[in-house]
Amino acid sequence: MLIKNAWLNGCAVDLRVGEVIQQIAPQLTPVIGETVLNARGGELLPGLHDHHIHVFAAAAAYGSLDCDVGSGAVGDCRDRLAQRLRGAAGSGWIRGVSYHEQQLGELDRWALDELCSDRPLRIQHRSGKLWVCNSLGLESLQLNASEQIDGVELDAQGRLNGRIVRNDKLIAQRLTSTGGNVQPDVRGFSRMLARLGVVGVTDTSAHNNQQSRQEFERLRREGDLLQRFNVMGDDSLDSGYLKILLDGDRLPPLEDLVRRINAARTKGRNVAFHCVSHLELVFALAALADASEPEEGFDRIEHGSVISDEMALRLADLGMPVITQPAFLYAKGEQYLADLTEIELANLYRFRGLQDLGVSVVASSDAPYGPVNPWQVIATAANRQTAAGAVVGSRESVHVEDALAGYLTPTSALNQGLPFARARKLEVGMPADVCLLEQRWSEVLGQAGSATVGATLIGGSTVFVKDEYEA
Ligand SMILES: [Zn+2]
């Protein structure tokens, strides 16, 4: 394929691409039969890689009911949700996502029965930690109070209260065995990512196992998943990061964690810690100090929602990158402003301050728990704005280039802790994974959220193109 009239590194160029970039020159002439893409002067960037995402959950959320009903009194919010539930498409299970107790109050099966009693319903807390089912939902999952399953809550009288904490696996198993499992729309979701310029993903789900990896391989082979992928996951995997979910409320014995890390090390695996609080970060670093060192490359911190200067210096010492999600500020900023103290707000989803202390920081989405749109993520890293336009932690604002750099960093460089302040550039011999903007990057610097993609190529194949770019 020939890409004509692209803007690359400050010059107008043509590119000839196969699986890799073959030629870059001021003018190239199409050979007979060659497909031509007219870039119309738009910026050609390396395709974006989302370094923290949950593909199956995000694909499921893509076809789920949004339970984020906005602000107001709990009663009004519940009315709004009831209305959405009545309007839910299809029949059978309703899967809701992104509910928050600040809007809807604490939920249990009985509260949900009042909102929806004619279809099985499960709704997920916006943190991803918790599901709440209505009574029909519990019945459909064939749960009963006598089983005592991890995470399945009982009330004081020993009845199921509908809440299932951190046991997505159970729900998935029961849905499969009861025929209630609707496959997430990975195909549709992957195409949506392509429209945003995303060519690669790192799935950071802690429950990923051999079977999940095979499922990823199958989806990619069959063309449902267009993006290149990396998978981290549980102790059973032989490669990729071991993802450790730390929960400040119920931390495991330190020696158990050290044992898990050491077992992963024997397979040459490094570790990625989910850390959203200071306590979790302290605990993670304590475990690492007792565990054997990585054979190669570096461990990583996911989220790093709260990092003090002192902890940042330790991370910098260890060479550990922080994979952050600036767009949480956009999506959840109002709540943070209401809930957190000034000091907490100043240490929230830091970026600039961590970089200044020598930590590598990479922006990512954490979709479906954060907004998936990379341009939104990049814009928020710079403007630190909530959806309502308030600014959170302005001192942590970075230049959009710094936020973009993480998306342009290949996973190999990230894993090896290579400096990626200068992200990859498109050069001859590199895989033809590219994202063509409709604008020049310099034109959208001040408002990265408005950047739009005209075409996306993965390994030289067009996975997305707007009509007007096909010459
Ligand atoms: Zn995550």
Side-chain angles (χ1 to χ4, degrees):
M1 172 189 285
L2 193 64
I3 303 174
K4 296 284 291 177
N5 309 315
W7 192 254
L8 177 67
N9 305 331
C11 305
V13 295
D14 295 349
L15 295 92
R16 177 161 282 122
V17 302
E19 263 183 60
V20 299
I21 298 171
Q22 296 164 342
Q23 261 181 304
I24 303 177
Q27 282 285 342
L28 293 169
T29 312
V31 297
I32 294 165
E34 191 170 34
T35 312
V36 177
L37 184 101
N38 185 354
R40 302 156 61 105
E43 185 92 27
L44 198 67
L45 294 171
L48 310 186
H49 187 101
D50 193 335
H51 289 282
H52 186 125
I53 190 170
H54 305 273
V55 171
F56 292 105
Y62 185 63
S64 295
L65 184 87
D66 183 5
C67 297
D68 180 351
V69 289
S71 55
V74 167
D76 295 340
C77 288
R78 287 194 180 185
D79 287 347
R80 249 173 272 153
L81 180 58
Q83 200 175 351
R84 285 189 197 179
L85 289 166
R86 280 194 294 276
S91 59
W93 272 103
I94 299 175
R95 183 186 194 279
V97 293
S98 304
Y99 96 77
H100 189 29
E101 68 279 4
Q102 298 279 356
Q103 299 171 347
L104 297 167
E106 292 295 337
L107 291 177
D108 56 24
R109 65 188 288 186
W110 299 285
L112 289 189
D113 286 347
E114 276 174 33
L115 305 177
C116 170
S117 58
D118 58 346
R119 288 172 70 176
L121 166 68
R122 66 184 191 280
I123 75 176
Q124 186 185 40
H125 189 261
R126 68 171 187 173
S127 65
K129 266 196 212 178
L130 165 73
W131 285 92
V132 189
C133 297
N134 67 356
S135 295
L136 261 184
L138 290 173
E139 213 173 284
S140 301
L141 293 176
Q142 297 177 357
L143 288 170
N144 63 64
S146 60
E147 282 183 284
Q148 299 203 339
I149 301 171
D150 196 32
V152 176
E153 282 189 10
L154 303 178
D155 71 358
Q157 284 106 52
R159 297 173 300 176
L160 293 170
N161 68 8
R163 294 161 65 91
I164 302 174
V165 183
R166 283 239 161 105
N167 201 344
D168 288 16
K169 211 172 174 176
L170 168 77
I171 297 176
Q173 281 165 354
R174 293 291 169 103
L175 285 171
T176 306
S177 63
T178 57
N181 209 4
V182 180
Q183 286 305 315
D185 182 10
V186 172
R187 191 179 174 82
F189 178 68
S190 172
R191 275 140 189 85
M192 192 265 285
L193 288 180
R195 291 197 292 278
L196 294 167
V198 176
V199 302
V201 290
T202 296
D203 193 288
T204 54
S205 307
H207 55 78
N208 279 335
N209 54 21
Q210 298 286 5
Q211 203 185 338
S212 340
R213 186 190 298 254
Q214 283 163 12
E215 182 64 0
F216 271 99
E217 281 162 6
R218 184 188 67 78
L219 286 164
R220 182 121 209 279
R221 196 170 53 239
E222 294 178 0
D224 286 334
L225 178 67
L226 300 166
Q227 284 73 24
R228 300 181 197 269
F229 66 89
N230 287 88
V231 173
M232 54 173 76
D234 72 11
D235 307 73
S236 74
L237 287 173
D238 293 326
S239 62
Y241 286 83
L242 170 65
K243 174 74 180 289
I244 295 182
L245 267 184
L246 290 176
D247 188 340
D249 296 336
R250 38 180 202 172
L251 292 170
L254 189 66
E255 58 273 23
D256 288 3
L257 187 53
V258 171
R259 211 171 300 125
R260 284 183 70 192
I261 297 170
N262 286 342
R265 296 277 195 243
T266 63
K267 300 180 189 172
R269 298 178 70 193
N270 289 346
V271 188
F273 288 97
H274 164 103
C275 285
V276 296
S277 71
H278 176 69
L279 177 65
E280 289 164 10
L281 185 56
V282 169
F283 194 75
L285 294 191
L288 284 177
D290 285 358
S292 50
E293 288 187 5
E295 219 166 82
E296 211 193 336
F298 295 87
D299 301 314
R300 40 187 265 182
I301 297 295
E302 310 301 312
H303 314 300
S305 319
V306 180
I307 302 181
S308 64
D309 279 2
E310 188 200 338
M311 297 309 284
L313 287 168
R314 291 182 58 189
L315 292 176
D317 251 7
L318 292 165
M320 289 175 75
V322 171
I323 317 304
T324 188
Q325 293 84 34
F328 278 145
L329 299 174
Y330 177 83
K332 305 179 182 179
E334 263 60 62
Q335 212 62 60
Y336 296 143
L337 288 170
D339 293 351
L340 302 180
T341 66
E342 214 154 292
I343 296 169
E344 288 170 323
L345 287 169
N347 278 338
L348 190 66
Y349 291 105
R350 297 181 66 188
F351 202 141
R352 174 71 178 271
L354 300 182
Q355 283 188 327
D356 288 349
L357 293 170
V359 181
S360 299
V361 187
V362 176
S364 63
S365 74
D366 198 20
Y369 313 111
V372 70
N373 184 339
W375 309 103
Q376 168 82 67
V377 173
I378 290 165
T380 311
N383 66 31
R384 307 280 298 181
Q385 280 180 12
T386 69
V391 173
V392 181
S394 58
R395 285 196 319 181
E396 298 298 330
S397 155
V398 292
H399 196 273
V400 284
E401 294 287 351
D402 287 342
L404 177 65
Y407 276 97
L408 302 188
T409 299
T411 44
S412 53
L414 183 58
N415 299 349
Q416 289 153 27
L418 297 175
F420 48 86
R422 283 169 302 281
R424 80 180 137 177
K425 299 253 189 308
L426 291 175
E427 285 164 359
V428 169
M430 279 181 49
D433 293 0
V434 301
C435 158
L436 172 67
L437 291 184
E438 295 194 274
Q439 308 82 14
R440 281 190 196 171
W441 179 236
S442 61
E443 290 168 357
V444 288
L445 277 186
Q447 40 187 329
S450 65
T452 50
V453 175
T456 305
L457 271 62
I458 299 176
S461 301
T462 308
V463 293
F464 166 66
V465 62
K466 285 192 176 166
D467 289 347
E468 57 268 37
Y469 290 83
E470 289 177 300

